[in-house]
Amino acid sequence: MFTFGSILVSTSATGSPVESTCAFHCKTPDANEKKEMLCNTICSSNFGGFPDLQTIAQTLATKHLETSMKFLMMSTQFSNWKTQRNGFSKLFDSLSDSTFNDAVNIIQYMAKRGGRLNNFKVELGTNQNYNISEIDALAQAVDVEKGLAKEILEVTNTNAQVDSAFAHFLVDEVSEKHVDRIHILTGHVNNLWKVIFPHRNSENTRGFVIHMFDTKVLG
């Protein structure tokens, strides 16, 4: 091992770079050199424990994209001519954008660490029912966000020692956004429930209260 500036470089007993290093595989090529593919493989930004976590990262990205699609469908449901809850539509459209951006951030981080997507596909369940009430939609959104947040916390706690950089990324760039969204959604659920519960037996009054919540709180 020798020092190049302040950087330590691994060498064999003869002073040559060891076989697992970038310097060994990406040295100035001879005329008949055939190690190009090994150079690309060895000399990449994929290091630490992240190679073992790429599947987990891809799964998280997929689930965020699927959640984004679900929120988008819910937004569409509230914006149709029959429902006309533009405030709720705007809220779920914002949730869709936020979870989509989370997925993009995770995929970009994978690329930054030398990872790649394998057999990547996003599916939206065919048995999903989006024709639900306003309070039910908000409650479902809370459960979905909490599910994703808990999964991220589990991945972070389990793999913090495997690759601390990936764990810090999840906490700083993804988990905190879930915390904010859960805070907002639970506030909406509790506030709406408080104002519609006293009018649970009066459909007209309950409809008016929801309309005011949609236009004044969410609109």
Side-chain angles (χ1 to χ4, degrees):
M1 182 176 292
F2 68 91
T3 303
F4 183 78
S6 59
I7 303 174
L8 294 177
V9 179
S10 297
T11 60
S12 64
T14 61
S16 301
V18 297
E19 191 168 348
S20 62
T21 63
C22 183
F24 179 87
H25 289 281
C26 300
K27 59 188 176 181
T28 302
D30 298 328
N32 298 320
E33 186 63 65
K34 296 181 179 179
K35 292 184 178 180
E36 180 180 354
M37 293 306 298
L38 283 178
C39 177
N40 292 339
T41 302
I42 299 297
C43 198
S44 75
S45 57
N46 208 344
F47 67 95
F50 191 72
D52 297 326
L53 302 178
Q54 288 187 62
T55 300
I56 294 176
Q58 179 171 318
T59 299
L60 289 176
T62 301
K63 289 185 176 181
H64 278 79
L65 285 175
E66 291 172 348
T67 300
S68 175
M69 294 172 63
K70 179 175 182 177
F71 285 152
L72 185 60
M73 294 297 293
M74 295 170 80
S75 172
T76 302
Q77 174 65 29
F78 286 114
S79 65
N80 64 39
W81 66 271
K82 184 177 181 180
T83 308
Q84 292 187 4
R85 298 295 190 201
N86 294 329
F88 281 90
S89 177
K90 180 180 176 181
L91 172 65
F92 283 102
D93 191 52
S94 175
L95 291 172
S96 177
D97 288 344
S98 296
T99 49
F100 179 84
N101 289 335
D102 288 341
V104 171
N105 287 338
I106 295 171
I107 293 172
Q108 288 178 337
Y109 184 83
M110 289 179 63
K112 180 180 179 181
R113 293 295 301 273
R116 63 180 62 186
L117 298 175
N118 296 308
N119 299 319
F120 185 69
K121 61 179 180 179
V122 178
E123 297 179 348
L124 190 62
T126 57
N127 296 324
Q128 298 288 337
N129 178 24
Y130 301 106
N131 187 23
I132 56 179
S133 70
E134 295 82 358
I135 188 71
D136 289 340
L138 289 174
Q140 282 191 22
V142 171
D143 292 337
V144 169
E145 285 284 351
K146 280 188 175 182
L148 286 174
K150 289 178 180 178
E151 187 165 351
I152 290 172
L153 288 176
E154 182 178 348
V155 170
T156 301
N157 293 334
T158 304
N159 299 287
Q161 300 299 320
V162 178
D163 193 281
S164 60
F166 180 53
H168 281 297
F169 161 76
L170 290 178
V171 171
D172 296 339
E173 301 297 331
V174 184
S175 184
E176 282 298 317
K177 295 176 183 177
H178 282 289
V179 171
D180 292 338
R181 292 196 293 266
I182 291 170
H183 171 70
I184 292 172
L185 287 168
T186 52
H188 288 330
V189 170
N190 284 284
N191 289 334
L192 182 58
W193 177 255
K194 288 176 183 177
V195 295
I196 66 172
F197 184 77
H199 308 290
R200 59 191 181 279
N201 295 322
S202 175
E203 185 175 348
N204 290 335
T205 304
R206 187 173 68 250
F208 175 74
V209 170
I210 294 174
H211 170 74
M212 295 299 293
F213 188 88
D214 177 73
T215 57
K216 302 301 182 181
V217 177
L218 301 181

